């Protein structure tokens, strides 16, 4: 955790932004895996609770009374039975003091705070809940059925949290870079291990092991697959085959739960084919274009559309697309190859603050989300600010079901060469992804070491750094 002054100042700023009422920030409880005492491990605290109260223990709730300038940490101290199994832990009062909170109370007293606020017609602010136990807790405290809670969540609190969390401070950037250092090890482990004859499951498991051994955990479920055309293709027991491409999309959470998120695509046998290089070079150029143009004041929507425009032009050169580039872009024909957005915010969540509502987090009064297939999946389109951490993740995918569906419906025949597309159904997909920090005049990639991604660098790294199995 950071120095307690960090949390004191964060809560003070939150009070100034929300102005009045009672803010209730729910920490997470243990989540059972397959029976009550066998929980998912490691425990993951709610990110906004972490941001303002810093503590990772389960069963805590933080309250900030804006009108009376009070802060309270609610939670129950563990008993001797817990100590036998889990060891001694700090008392709730000690946990509160560590983050600059002078008042702590048992969880049962939280109901009193809520009842008093309701009697005085004071607003109780809470964020949209995403766990069912929290929804039940809110129902017990406020009498709101879970089906009503998303709409009842405080927009004032949502906007205040976003305003604070979207701009990363220097100490946060340090933590994200630590996560990126773990991410470098994860991805280079995949490159060093991959060869024909192994299973996707084996390589993916070793990638996960790096995250768990060097940090808290993975920042999301690792994607390692020869079917790169599947956006969220988890590792299977399929055997890696020579001539195929392997796509690895993975990231780490460091000890402070800040995240990394990278993707690399590389040949299973260590050598790209000419056809693979043709497609890879387009994705590489799009990735680097985003690095060139991302800077404060630029809409990330425009960066995304610039990438799509470049992709169309390059795909026309090899015959997969045709017609007028601007018309194809406006029609959304490029989404055949890029059905997702260029990137998202990143921080304490790998898709930072997404649970607060993407229309609040990634968009604003200046720009709203698109409803067009592909572009609708752009998670952030608003103006970039210094201190934003974004992902830059263009890709080109050949999805057989999508090719068949669009062809059968006669979509975008003026822009897509369906006969040539048929020959790419066995190709898979390519994605390249890095984490970037928006600086005063542009952006930079995060991490002291850059995971190899230029084709020659990838081939050389895989040839010179191979490691044999260790089981």
């Amino acid at each position: 955790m950071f120095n307690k002054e960090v949390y004191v100042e964060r809560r003070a700023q939150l009070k100034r932004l929300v102005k009045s009422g009672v803010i209730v920030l729910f920490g997470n409880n243990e989540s059972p895996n397959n029976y009550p005492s066998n929980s998912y491990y490691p425990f993951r605290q709610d990110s906004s609770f972490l941001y303002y109260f810093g503590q990772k223990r389960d069963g805590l709730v933080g309250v900030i009374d804006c009108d009376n300038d009070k802060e309270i940490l609610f939670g129950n101290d563990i008993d001797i039975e817990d100590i036998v199994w889990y060891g001694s832990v700090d008392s709730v009062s000690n946990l509160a003091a560590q983050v600059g909170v002078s008042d702590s109370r048992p969880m049962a007293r939280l109901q009193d705070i809520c009842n008093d606020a309701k009697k005085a017609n004071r607003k109780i602010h809470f964020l949209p809940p995403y766990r069912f136990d929290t929804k039940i807790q809110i129902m017990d405290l406020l009498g709101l059925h879970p089906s009503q809670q998303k709409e009842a969540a405080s927009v004032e609190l949502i906007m205040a949290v976003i305003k604070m969390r979207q701009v990363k401070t220097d100490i946060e950037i340090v933590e994200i870079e630590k996560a990126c250092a773990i991410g470098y090890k994860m991805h280079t482990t995949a490159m060093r291990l991959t060869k024909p004859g192994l299973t996707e499951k084996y390589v993916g498991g070793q990638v996960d092991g790096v995250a768990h051994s060097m940090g808290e955990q993975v920042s999301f479920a690792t994607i390692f697959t020869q079917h790169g055309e599947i956006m969220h293709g988890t590792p299977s027991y399929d055997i890696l085959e020579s001539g195929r491409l392997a796509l690895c999309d993975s990231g780490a959470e460091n000890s402070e739960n800040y995240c990394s998120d990278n993707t690399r695509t590389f040949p299973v046998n260590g050598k790209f084919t000419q056809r693979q290089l043709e497609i890879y070079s387009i994705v590489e150029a799009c990735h680097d274009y985003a690095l060139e143009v991302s800077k404060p004041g630029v809409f990330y929507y425009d960066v995304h559309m610039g990438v799509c425009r470049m992709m169309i032009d390059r795909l026309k050169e090899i015959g997969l697309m045709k017609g007028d580039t601007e018309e194809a872009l406006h029609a959304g024909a490029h989404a055949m190859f890029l059905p997702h957005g260029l990137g998202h915010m990143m921080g304490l969540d790998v898709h930072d603050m997404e649970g607060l509502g993407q229309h609040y987090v990634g968009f604003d009064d200046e720009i709203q989300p698109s409803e067009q297939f592909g572009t609708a999946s752009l998670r952030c389109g608003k103006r970039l600010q210094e201190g934003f951490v974004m992902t830059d993740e263009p890709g080109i995918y050949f999805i057989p079901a999508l090719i068949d569906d669009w062809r059968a419906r006669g979509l975008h025949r003026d822009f897509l060469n369906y006969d040539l597309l048929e020959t790419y159904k066995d190709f898979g997909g390519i994605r390249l992804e890095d984490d970037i920090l928006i600086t005063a005049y542009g952006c930079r990639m995060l991490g002291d070491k850059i995971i190899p991604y230029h084709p020659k660098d990838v081939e050389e790294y895989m040839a010179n750094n191979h490691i044999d199995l260790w089981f």
Side-chain angles (χ1 to χ4, degrees), residues 331-333 335-336 339 371-374 399-414 416 418 421-422 425:
M336 167 63 74
E371 295 183 357
Q372 187 184 68
F373 176 78
I399 306 169
L402 188 63
I403 295 170
D404 291 343
D405 178 69
W406 280 24
R407 187 170 199 172
R409 292 195 285 151
L411 296 180
H412 306 306
R413 286 177 176 173
D414 293 339
L416 298 172
Y418 280 108
L421 268 171
E422 287 289 330
K425 282 185 173 179

Side-chain angles (χ1 to χ4, degrees), residues 380-398:
C380 181
K382 65 185 179 184
R383 289 185 191 272
L384 299 171
Q385 295 181 40
E386 183 178 358
F388 279 17
V389 173
M390 307 294 300
T391 61
D392 165 18
E393 50 178 307
I396 292 178
Y397 313 90
F398 297 91

Side-chain angles (χ1 to χ4, degrees), residues 167-230:
V167 177
K168 306 304 184 289
T169 61
D170 290 344
I171 58 173
E172 291 182 283
I173 297 302
V174 168
E175 298 303 324
I176 294 173
E177 299 240 59
K178 290 177 183 177
C180 289
I182 302 171
Y184 175 87
K185 291 284 189 182
M186 294 168 73
H187 281 272
T188 52
T189 293
M191 288 182 175
R192 296 175 71 191
L193 272 176
T194 294
K195 68 176 184 179
L198 297 179
T199 64
E200 294 175 2
K201 194 77 168 177
Y202 177 81
V203 178
Q206 300 305 316
V207 169
D208 285 355
V210 174
H212 286 284
S213 63
M214 298 183 70
E216 283 286 296
Q217 57 181 319
V218 293
S219 53
F220 59 96
T222 292
I223 298 166
F224 185 85
T225 178
Q226 295 173 108
H227 286 282
E229 77 279 8
I230 301 173

Side-chain angles (χ1 to χ4, degrees), residues 251-287:
E253 285 194 9
N254 81 325
S255 58
E256 294 298 330
N257 295 108
Y258 283 88
C259 300
S260 71
D261 183 4
N262 297 92
T263 306
R264 290 295 183 266
T265 309
F266 45 88
V268 169
N269 63 11
K271 286 287 184 181
F272 290 101
T273 67
Q274 185 57 40
R275 187 170 79 148
Q276 289 168 351
L277 277 174
E278 285 181 344
I279 303 301
Y280 191 100
S281 67
I282 300 174
V283 180
E284 177 190 17
C286 292
H287 170 279

